[in-house]
Amino acid sequence: MSNKNRKKMRTQSVSTSMNRICGYLFFAAITMIMPFYYENKYFNMLQAKGHVIQFLVCTLLPITAMIYLLGCAMDYKKKELTAWNWKNCNYMDMALTMFGIATLVSWLGCKDRDTSLWGMKVWCVGAAILVGLVLFYWFSSRSLYLTEYTWIPVGIVNGIIFTISIYHSAGVDLLGMHERIVEKQYYTYISTIGNINWFSGYLCLLVPLFIVLFLNSEKRMLTIFYFIISSLAMVNIVLCASDSVFVGIGSCLFFFVPYMLGKEQRIRRGFLVIATYGISLSIVNFAPCFAAKKETMDGVAASVLSPDIAFPFVGIGVLGYIAVRLWWKKLNEKTIQRIVYIIDGILLITIIGMLIYNISIFDDKWGTKRGLIWKESIRAFGTFDFREKLFGIGPEMLGNCYRGIRDKFTYQVLCAHSEFLQFLLSVGLVGAGSWIAMWIGLLTEYFRRKIWKTDRIVLFLPLAAYMGQSFFNSPMALTISMLFVMLACYRSTEDACKPI
């Protein structure tokens, strides 16, 4: 190789390496620092997460942009502008870019730009944060290089977070985080994450991730590590006791089944996960230290967390594990495919049945008054002018939409309690349409490219779970930031996916 070619490769590698460092800094800040960070005990938990992403947008984003522009300038000078080929855009890139543009236009036309910019007085998902996350997605999706070891520090951090959650649910105020909290809110704020609704979205992004890493791991120590994290996550699903977390996890089961049944090791370990869930149910239902927490469980979660199903889950897990060890190798591919169709068919019928049931009982009180909020959201959208219908009234500006129902609540309603309705009101048909198009593209790609047969399934399932719970929860600073990290990671693996 000539000195000229060596110098060319050295210059390109420096540019690429610097971009990758910025991508990993963003990844580490969102997945490890942000979940841990809190201020003033629980009284500023939401704003604390917002301050982290605000800091990243104001500091790391400009640095990353300068590094990228420097790399482009260096490549342009050599007449080889190949750093990041913007022509290689897929559906996700286009949809998120349009979403970012709609957010910017919405903010420019809103009535209170100061409040809407960062949203620190509301849910900390202001215009600057949303646009910043779109830009972070672009940089990170082009620079991240993921391996099975990438998630180890994330697993360690979340192992600690899940442990703190278990202590809190047992009435032990670890780290003195509940010293000044109102007694009735003690069990509604969990670990260093915060409110149950925020924690449910957080669990939906992480539980499928660690379970798939456990199912797919070939190294013994990594397998043990991911099994421990998955087990702690199972206990936290039970302790969270949120309807939306079960909707989210249930949503990704439909896509999980073909992947799990594709290999004997995965289905054996899958039955271990089922048994672990049963054991978690038993611990929470019968351990005296969780008695006070158990009294707060209601709704769909109460039936899914019933002690009557704890031992059957353990039995199914143990017997299923033994059956697979004895007979799985005797099954041919067509039989396995029929099993997949049967299980997915049962899941689909169950989902449709639950949907029909919930439609039949839908009223103002449905979903802790979500029914009333959703009706008011649609009514408010109908009163918007043409520009507002296209681009919304601005992020974090929804308070005025719910003035007509203030007397129905003991608190001020500031969000739609549904991500899709939230974006419809905030960034209009253009923004919400782009957001929905991104999800439709993701689901279409799953079937078109048979994602369940590739290693990208480890990142697809968290996205599917998040999508399920997002119908019932509004985006928060932590959950929306974690989502963009997962989207960037998923996009970064598009050209390097491997069959599994």
Side-chain angles (χ1 to χ4, degrees):
M1 183 183 293
S2 67
N3 290 333
K4 185 177 181 180
N5 287 333
R6 284 196 187 96
K7 185 177 180 182
K8 182 184 296 184
M9 286 189 64
R10 196 182 304 122
T11 304
Q12 288 178 341
S13 65
V14 169
S15 174
T16 303
S17 298
M18 290 302 295
N19 286 325
R20 185 165 292 171
I21 289 171
C22 291
Y24 278 118
L25 285 174
F26 170 59
F27 176 87
I30 298 299
T31 59
M32 288 177 267
I33 297 174
M34 195 174 183
F36 257 144
Y37 183 70
Y38 65 96
E39 300 168 352
N40 192 25
K41 306 304 179 186
Y42 271 121
F43 296 96
N44 201 26
M45 178 67 78
L46 186 62
Q47 285 74 19
K49 310 304 183 186
H51 290 155
V52 175
I53 188 63
Q54 184 181 32
F55 175 79
L56 292 175
V57 170
C58 291
T59 56
L60 185 58
L61 182 59
I63 293 172
T64 305
M66 286 189 290
I67 291 173
Y68 167 67
L69 293 173
L70 178 62
C72 286
M74 294 167 66
D75 289 334
Y76 180 78
K77 186 178 180 181
K78 295 175 295 189
K79 298 181 180 180
E80 294 182 3
L81 186 56
T82 59
W84 295 338
N85 192 343
W86 296 85
K87 294 181 181 179
N88 294 333
C89 294
N90 69 357
Y91 68 93
M92 190 176 290
D93 300 333
M94 300 299 290
L96 289 178
T97 299
M98 185 57 66
F99 175 78
I101 293 171
T103 301
L104 187 60
V105 174
S106 175
W107 172 73
L108 289 172
C110 76
K111 296 177 180 178
D112 187 353
R113 293 181 187 174
D114 291 339
T115 298
S116 183
L117 182 62
W118 296 107
M120 288 300 172
K121 296 179 181 179
V122 197
W123 298 109
C124 305
V125 188
I129 288 176
L130 290 174
V131 174
L133 286 171
V134 171
L135 293 174
F136 273 129
Y137 160 82
W138 269 100
F139 287 113
S140 299
S141 63
R142 268 72 182 166
S143 59
L144 286 176
Y145 177 75
L146 303 173
T147 69
E148 59 183 330
Y149 299 104
T150 304
W151 302 103
I152 292 177
V154 180
I156 293 171
V157 166
N158 283 281
I160 297 170
I161 289 172
F162 293 155
T163 302
I164 294 173
S165 169
I166 294 170
Y167 271 97
H168 280 174
S169 298
V172 179
D173 186 13
L174 203 63
L175 306 180
M177 299 180 68
H178 288 83
E179 285 177 0
R180 294 177 290 172
I181 201 169
V182 178
E183 186 177 353
K184 67 178 182 180
Q185 291 184 325
Y186 187 97
Y187 293 110
T188 61
Y189 283 80
I190 302 174
S191 191
T192 59
I193 304 302
N195 184 280
I196 283 177
N197 288 334
W198 317 339
F199 196 56
S200 63
Y202 187 76
L203 285 174
C204 284
L205 285 168
L206 289 172
V207 172
L209 173 74
F210 290 123
I211 288 177
V212 175
L213 288 171
F214 164 62
L215 265 58
N216 214 39
S217 177
E218 300 290 344
K219 298 179 175 64
R220 178 176 296 180
M221 293 306 297
L222 276 181
T223 302
I224 294 171
F225 173 74
Y226 288 128
F227 177 69
I228 292 171
I229 303 301
S230 298
S231 300
L232 290 172
M234 287 291 114
V235 179
N236 275 265
I237 286 177
V238 177
L239 292 173
C240 182
S242 169
D243 292 356
S244 58
V245 75
F246 288 104
V247 171
I249 299 298
S251 300
C252 80
L253 280 178
F254 180 84
F255 307 101
F256 175 75
V257 170
Y259 157 76
M260 189 181 78
L261 295 180
K263 191 176 180 181
E264 182 185 349
Q265 171 185 289
R266 295 201 289 264
I267 192 168
R268 279 193 284 109
R269 293 180 181 179
F271 277 114
L272 283 179
V273 172
I274 293 172
T276 302
Y277 178 73
I279 294 170
S280 301
L281 277 176
S282 302
I283 293 171
V284 173
N285 278 291
F286 299 111
C289 60
F290 296 118
K293 171 66 178 179
K294 192 171 180 296
E295 292 177 1
T296 66
M297 299 177 182
D298 56 11
V300 175
S303 59
V304 183
L305 302 173
S306 170
D308 297 332
I309 66 173
F311 293 116
F313 264 100
V314 176
I316 291 171
V318 173
L319 293 176
Y321 182 89
I322 294 172
V324 171
R325 292 293 295 243
L326 293 176
W327 296 303
W328 188 256
K329 291 181 180 178
K330 298 178 182 179
L331 300 178
N332 57 41
E333 188 174 344
K334 287 187 177 180
T335 303
I336 295 172
Q337 196 172 46
R338 290 192 189 102
I339 295 172
V340 172
Y341 289 149
I342 291 170
I343 296 175
D344 269 352
I346 293 171
L347 287 171
L348 189 60
I349 292 170
T350 303
I351 292 170
I352 294 172
M354 290 183 66
L355 182 63
I356 294 172
Y357 170 73
N358 279 281
I359 291 174
S360 68
I361 64 170
F362 185 84
D363 59 15
D364 289 353
K365 295 181 180 179
W366 182 88
T368 58
K369 295 188 178 180
R370 277 177 171 80
L372 177 59
I373 295 173
W374 290 1
K375 287 179 181 178
E376 192 66 13
S377 298
I378 295 171
R379 184 206 62 78
F381 183 76
T383 65
F384 290 178
D385 60 33
F386 180 73
R387 187 200 65 80
E388 289 174 338
K389 279 186 169 68
L390 282 180
F391 295 103
I393 59 175
E396 304 291 32
M397 297 297 294
L398 272 57
N400 291 334
C401 294
Y402 306 109
R403 284 182 176 179
I405 57 173
R406 281 183 179 177
D407 59 326
K408 306 288 186 182
F409 296 87
T410 57
Y411 55 87
Q412 186 179 2
V413 180
L414 298 172
C415 63
H417 286 277
S418 170
E419 191 165 288
F420 299 98
L421 280 177
Q422 182 90 0
F423 287 145
L424 179 65
L425 296 173
S426 299
V427 292
L429 289 169
V430 176
S434 302
W435 192 251
I436 293 171
M438 185 266 293
W439 289 113
I440 292 174
L442 186 74
L443 295 176
T444 303
E445 184 181 48
Y446 173 84
F447 295 103
R448 181 171 54 84
R449 302 187 68 173
K450 297 182 178 179
I451 297 298
W452 67 89
K453 293 184 177 182
T454 72
D455 55 358
R456 298 183 79 196
I457 191 69
V458 71
L459 293 163
F460 175 87
L461 291 176
L463 296 174
Y466 180 91
M467 180 185 65
Q469 68 83 38
S470 68
F471 283 97
F472 307 96
N473 290 324
S474 291
M476 306 295 173
L478 176 59
T479 55
I480 196 74
S481 299
M482 287 286 292
L483 171 66
F484 271 88
V485 168
M486 292 295 185
L487 289 171
C489 291
Y490 182 80
R491 175 66 176 89
S492 71
T493 61
E494 181 177 36
D495 299 325
C497 66
K498 301 175 184 177
I500 54 174

